[in-house]
Amino acid sequence: MKSRRFVAFAAAFAVAASAMTGFTLTASAEDTETVYNFSSLTAEKYGKSGTSVFDGALTLTATEDAKPQTVSQSITTPLGKTETVTSALMSKQLGVKLHLAAGETVVEYYAGCDSKLAGKDIDVVVKDASGANVATESNSEKSAFGVYKIAYTAAAEGDYTIVDSGTSSNRTIVFAVAVTNGKYDATVTPEPSTATTAPGATTAPGATTAPAATPQATVDPNATSEVSITRAAGWMESAYITWTNPVAVDSYNVYVRPEGGAYTKLDKELTRYYGSYYRADALGLAAGSYQFKVETVLGGSVKETVESDVVTVSAYKREGFAFDSHSSHYNKDGIGAYKNDGTLKDGAKVLYITDKNKNTVTMDVVVDKNKGTVNTGTGLVEILSLREKNNAETTPLAIRMIGQVEAPAGVNSAKYAQIKSTSNVTFEGVGDDATTYHWSLLIRQTDNIEVRNIAVMEFYDDGISLDTDNFNDWVHNCDIFYGQNRGGDQKKGDGSLDVKAGSDYCTFSYNHFWDSGKTSLCGMKEDSYKGYHITYNYNWFDHSDSRHPRVRGDQVHVYNNYYDGVSKYGVGACTGGSVFVENNVFRNCVHPVLTSMQGRDIEGGKGTFSSEDGGSIKMFGNTIYGGVSVWYSSKNNVSSDTDAYLAETRDETVPSTYVAKQGGATYTNFDTAPSMYSYSVIDTDKVVDYVQAHAGRVQGGDFTHEFDDAVDDALYDRDEVLGNALQSYKTTLKTEYTA
C-alpha cells in the first residue's frame, strides 16, 4: 500500500506585469548572470544585519527584523531574463552585502515605503569595503509605489554593500538582485508599476498584526474583489475553507455557523495565506452541518460576501482507557480544553503559538490559588512552567500551534518543551501543516492532557513522551516522523510515542507513524507486573519497524490498527504485560506478535526483542497476510512455547494454565472484566481504508511520501529519501492573514 496523496490547492494571483527598461545591453555569448529572486526567501528565517541568504551569496543588512511582503511583479534583468517576483523583503534601511569580481555588475531592484507601503523618497547607495560611496541612485519616488533599481559595475574585486544611506524611519523593500558580467549602460531609471502587494502581508511567517484602519496605498478602495472558494470541507470536530483572490484587499473576515444558525467570527489567527491561496480553519465544532462565510474588507467597509456550500463535521471517537470512569483522574467534562461534544469548555483560554511569537507571546497564569497571585508568562515554555506551580491554574487551556515552529527558547537539553504538573490542556495544531521541528513534547505528572493534529519532525530524543505518572491523557491524529539521526538504534530518532513510569489510563489513537524505528515503548522496567491501562486504536504503523507497542507489565488493548509493512515485529509482550490484540490488519509484518523468551521470539536461539520475563497476548478477529506465521495456543491446546493465545470469541477468557515460559506470568483477562470500558470495532475488511482516511493530521497533513513496498516492507534501516525530505521540509505558509 502507498501513503496517501493530497492535492495542494494552487491558484496563482494575476501578475500585473511591468517590464523593467533602461538598460542598454551589449551582451555576448560569454555573458553570465545570476538572479537572486527574493520570492524564494518567504520560508526562510529573517533577521537583522548579518543574516546570510542564498547559500551565503548575499548578506542582509538592516536595522530591524526583515519581513516578507507578498507582491505580484515582473522584472526584466540586464541580460533580458524575465523574472516573476511573488515576494519581497522589507525592513528599515534594508540592503545587501555581496562580493563582486572586477567588471561584474550588480543591480538591486527595490522600493521605498512607509508602514502603509506608500512610496517614499530614499537615498540608495553602493558602498565599497572601505565604506565609501561608489554609486548613488538619483530617483525621487515621492508617492509613486513602484520598482526602482540601482546598478554598479565593480572597478575592483571586493565586498560591496547596497543600502539606504539615510537615517529615516521609512522602510526599503528589496525584490531581487542580479549579478552579471555583461557590459551595458547601467542607467538608473524609475519604473512605475501597477503591481500591488498582497493583502495584509506585512509580517514574517506566523506573526500577527492588527489590520490597517484604511486601505494600503496600493489597494484601490473601489476595486471589485474576486473571491473564489476552492474548497470547503469538514473534518473531525473542525472544518476549513480555502479560497483565491487576485485582487488585493485590506483584510478578510471569516465566519462559520451551524446550518440554519447564526454566524460566529473566527479568531484572526485562524486565517492564513499560503502564497497561492488563503485558508481558514474552524476548531472546536460539534458534529453536524456547517457553512462558512468570507467577507473582503476595503477601506474599513465590507465589499464582498461569499458563502460556502454546507460541509459535514464528524466527531472524534472517544474510546479507550483515557475515557474510563474507573480512573480516579477521570474528568466527566472531557479531556483537555474540550468538552466531550468537541466544543471548548466553559471559560477555556486559547493561546496561539507561531514561529514568530513562540518566545514573546504572553499569558496570565494563576500561581497561588489561595492568595490569588497571578504571574505573566512570556513565551510558550515559561507559560507552561508557570502552570506547574502548585497546580494552581486549572483553567482549561487550548494551545493552538500554527505552521512550522522551531524549538522555542527554554526547552531542556533534550529539546523538550514540558507539559508538567498540570491538567486540562490541549496542545493542538491548526490546519494540515502544524509541525514541531527540532523539538518535541515531554508530558510529566499530568492528567487529562490532549495532544492532537500536530506533526513532530527531526526531534532530538522521543517524539512525544508521556514520562512519569500521567493519567487519562490522549494523543491522537498526529503525524510522527523521524527524529534526528543519532546513529545506531537511533538512526530514526529514539521512541516515537512512549508511555512509561507509572502512566495509567491513556489512549493513543489515529496516529500515523512514518517508518518509525522504536515506535512505542509501553512501560519501563519499573512498570513490570504493575498492570497499568493503555489503549492503541486506529493507528497507522506505516512501514515502521518495532514496538507497536512493546509492553512491559501493562494491560493494553490494541484494536483496529493497520500494520503496513512492518520489518521486525508488531506487538511485543514481556514482564507480565497482558495485551488484547483485536481486529487489526497485519500486512507483511515479519512477526505480527511476539512474547518474550518463548515461541517465535527464541526460534533463533535467543530473544528477538527482549531477554526479559514473558507476558501474555490474547488475539481475536485479526487479519494477517504476509510475514511469518504466528504460533498459537488455544483452549484445546495450551502451551507455554507459543506467541499468543487465539480466542474463538471476543469474550473468551484466557485460562490460567496459559503461563509465560519465563517468569510465569498469566493473562489478567482485563478485557472481559465487568469494569472493561465500552467500545466498538470495525470489521478488518474496512480497517485499511478507514485508518488511512482518518489517521494523522487534517486530511492527512501537508507532507507526502510514497513508500516502495518491495523495498521498504523489509527495510529496517533509515530511508534516506524520506530522511532527506524531512530535513529539507518547509511549510508553504507565507504569513498569517489577519482578519
Side-chain angles (χ1 to χ4, degrees):
M1 302 293 294
K2 308 301 180 185
S3 294
R4 289 166 296 182
R5 297 299 209 176
F6 298 93
V7 179
F9 305 111
F13 287 105
V15 175
S18 175
M20 296 296 294
T21 60
F23 293 102
T24 303
L25 180 65
T26 55
S28 69
E30 289 77 27
D31 289 340
T32 61
E33 181 175 64
T34 303
V35 179
Y36 302 103
N37 187 331
F38 276 42
S39 300
S40 63
L41 294 183
T42 54
E44 298 290 335
K45 303 300 177 192
Y46 310 108
K48 296 183 181 179
S49 183
T51 302
S52 177
V53 294
F54 298 108
D55 295 325
L58 305 180
T59 300
L60 299 181
T61 64
T63 59
E64 69 173 9
D65 287 352
K67 301 177 177 67
Q69 298 296 302
T70 302
V71 297
S72 181
Q73 189 66 240
S74 183
I75 63 174
T76 302
T77 69
L79 293 187
K81 181 180 179 181
T82 298
E83 284 277 328
T84 298
V85 182
T86 58
S87 184
L89 288 187
M90 179 180 73
S91 184
K92 290 181 181 179
Q93 294 187 271
L94 175 66
V96 299
K97 180 179 179 180
L98 75 168
H99 189 86
L100 296 175
E104 283 189 321
T105 300
V106 60
V107 183
E108 179 180 278
Y109 304 86
Y110 69 92
C113 69
D114 63 10
S115 60
K116 293 184 180 178
L117 301 184
K120 290 292 182 180
D121 185 15
I122 59 175
D123 298 317
V124 175
V125 299
V126 180
K127 297 177 179 287
D128 64 15
S130 70
N133 291 357
V134 292
T136 303
E137 64 91 18
S138 58
N139 297 321
S140 294
E141 289 89 352
K142 296 182 180 178
S143 61
F145 182 86
V147 177
Y148 297 79
K149 62 182 180 287
I150 183 171
Y152 173 70
T153 300
E157 181 176 359
D159 292 332
Y160 294 88
T161 302
I162 309 171
V163 67
D164 174 10
S165 64
T167 58
S168 167
S169 63
N170 294 333
R171 291 169 173 83
T172 307
I173 295 178
V174 177
F175 298 83
V177 174
V179 177
T180 180
N181 65 357
K183 304 297 189 291
Y184 56 90
D185 176 12
T187 304
V188 179
T189 56
E191 300 298 333
S193 171
T194 58
T196 62
T197 59
T202 57
T203 59
T208 58
T209 59
T214 56
Q216 299 172 5
T218 56
V219 177
D220 180 1
N222 298 311
T224 301
S225 187
E226 299 177 12
V227 170
S228 176
I229 294 174
T230 52
R231 186 169 187 183
W235 186 244
M236 289 180 282
E237 296 173 19
S238 66
Y240 66 94
I241 183 172
T242 62
W243 69 93
T244 60
N245 187 5
V247 179
V249 298
D250 290 333
S251 63
Y252 291 98
N253 298 326
V254 184
Y255 302 81
V256 70
R257 69 174 179 182
E259 187 176 16
Y263 276 114
T264 299
K265 187 177 180 181
L266 301 185
D267 291 345
K268 62 183 182 180
E269 293 88 351
L270 296 172
T271 302
R272 295 97 66 212
Y273 174 55
Y274 285 85
S276 61
Y277 67 96
Y278 301 87
R279 175 171 176 143
D281 286 74
L283 308 183
L285 303 180
S289 299
Y290 292 85
Q291 187 174 28
F292 284 100
K293 178 174 71 174
V294 178
E295 296 177 342
T296 61
V297 180
L298 279 169
S301 300
V302 174
K303 295 295 183 179
E304 181 184 17
T305 299
V306 180
E307 289 185 307
S308 73
D309 293 334
V310 173
V311 302
T312 300
V313 172
S314 59
Y316 287 117
K317 273 193 175 184
R318 287 172 166 81
E319 292 181 346
F321 279 117
F323 307 93
D324 193 331
S325 61
H326 293 90
S327 168
S328 60
H329 295 269
Y330 172 71
N331 187 338
K332 62 180 177 56
D333 296 324
I335 294 175
Y338 291 90
K339 300 176 185 177
N340 289 320
D341 68 355
T343 61
L344 279 170
K345 292 177 179 176
D346 297 340
K349 294 181 179 180
V350 176
L351 179 70
Y352 289 96
I353 299 295
T354 69
D355 195 54
K356 183 70 174 178
N357 78 354
K358 63 193 176 191
N359 299 323
T360 58
V361 65
T362 61
M363 173 171 278
D364 291 340
V365 181
V366 176
V367 295
D368 191 318
K369 191 180 300 184
N370 294 328
K371 296 180 179 179
T373 306
V374 175
N375 288 354
T376 300
T378 301
L380 171 63
V381 172
E382 184 174 285
I383 291 169
L384 289 173
S385 180
L386 288 177
R387 266 190 90 99
E388 293 180 29
K389 294 184 180 297
N390 309 314
N391 198 23
E393 181 62 89
T394 58
T395 303
L397 172 63
I399 301 172
R400 293 176 173 174
M401 188 173 70
I402 296 173
Q404 180 180 1
V405 178
E406 285 279 359
V411 294
N412 67 17
S413 60
K415 307 301 181 185
Y416 283 124
Q418 288 195 100
I419 302 175
K420 182 180 178 183
S421 300
T422 190
S423 60
N424 301 316
V425 174
T426 291
F427 191 101
E428 64 182 324
V430 176
D432 64 357
D433 64 332
T435 305
T436 67
Y437 202 75
H438 294 133
W439 63 291
S440 52
L441 296 176
L442 178 62
I443 303 170
R444 280 181 167 167
Q445 298 165 350
T446 66
D447 67 84
N448 290 280
I449 302 297
E450 178 187 20
V451 180
R452 71 184 188 190
N453 198 47
I454 66 168
V456 287
M457 286 186 191
E458 290 295 301
F459 47 89
Y460 183 76
D461 198 339
D462 291 343
I464 300 173
S465 180
L466 280 74
D467 183 327
T468 314
D469 299 335
N470 299 288
F471 303 93
N472 296 86
D473 289 352
W474 182 29
V475 179
H476 63 107
N477 291 97
C478 294
D479 284 302
I480 304 179
F481 296 97
Y482 286 167
Q484 295 178 40
N485 185 350
R486 296 166 64 186
D489 67 351
Q490 296 187 9
K491 287 182 178 180
K492 302 177 182 181
D494 202 356
S496 293
L497 172 55
D498 287 355
V499 55
K500 51 199 175 185
S503 296
D504 199 3
Y505 288 99
C506 297
T507 293
F508 307 122
S509 55
Y510 295 97
N511 299 297
H512 187 178
F513 297 89
W514 299 68
D515 193 25
S516 294
K518 297 184 290 183
T519 306
S520 187
L521 176 63
C522 185
M524 298 289 282
K525 288 185 178 179
E526 58 264 34
D527 296 317
S528 298
Y529 299 95
K530 294 292 179 64
Y532 300 124
H533 307 78
I534 311 294
T535 299
Y536 293 81
N537 53 354
Y538 309 108
N539 298 290
W540 184 4
F541 301 115
D542 195 355
H543 293 84
S544 46
D545 301 334
S546 63
R547 300 187 179 183
H548 308 88
R550 172 178 173 165
V551 178
R552 277 191 176 116
D554 296 343
Q555 298 177 116
V556 180
H557 190 192
V558 179
Y559 69 95
N560 281 152
N561 301 282
Y562 178 35
Y563 294 80
D564 184 7
V566 171
S567 61
K568 192 171 183 181
Y569 72 90
V571 178
C574 60
T575 61
S578 293
V579 192
F580 182 30
V581 179
E582 179 183 16
N583 275 56
N584 302 278
V585 173
F586 297 87
R587 186 201 65 80
N588 249 17
C589 180
V590 175
H591 289 287
V593 298
L594 289 174
T595 299
S596 180
M597 301 306 293
Q598 66 188 59
R600 290 282 194 184
D601 183 53
I602 56 172
E603 187 178 15
K606 62 178 181 178
T608 300
F609 78 99
S610 172
S611 59
E612 297 171 310
D613 289 350
S616 50
I617 297 173
K618 170 185 171 180
M619 299 184 72
F620 173 75
N622 301 282
T623 294
I624 300 173
Y625 53 101
V628 176
S629 62
V630 178
W631 290 349
Y632 293 112
S633 284
S634 65
K635 65 181 180 180
N636 296 319
N637 183 23
V638 175
S639 169
S640 61
D641 205 15
T642 54
D643 304 315
Y645 182 91
L646 182 62
E648 294 182 359
T649 66
R650 187 238 165 266
D651 296 326
E652 182 180 338
T653 58
V654 178
S656 60
T657 53
Y658 183 61
V659 178
K661 185 174 183 179
Q662 180 171 304
T666 58
Y667 190 74
T668 64
N669 286 307
F670 68 92
D671 54 298
T672 57
S675 59
M676 182 62 178
Y677 56 77
S678 297
Y679 65 102
S680 59
V681 295
I682 58 177
D683 294 337
T684 55
D685 61 354
K686 298 180 176 65
V687 164
V688 173
D689 289 343
Y690 180 80
V691 168
Q692 288 188 325
H694 293 89
R697 290 171 294 171
V698 171
Q699 298 292 356
D702 68 331
F703 182 92
T704 61
H705 174 77
E706 187 170 345
F707 289 102
D708 181 352
D709 291 349
V711 174
D712 292 316
D713 280 0
L715 183 66
Y716 192 63
D717 208 346
R718 183 180 171 94
D719 183 327
E720 292 303 330
V721 174
L722 174 59
N724 292 338
L726 295 172
Q727 289 176 350
S728 61
Y729 167 81
K730 297 289 183 183
T731 177
T732 59
L733 175 68
K734 304 303 180 185
T735 183
E736 285 182 24
Y737 189 84
T738 58

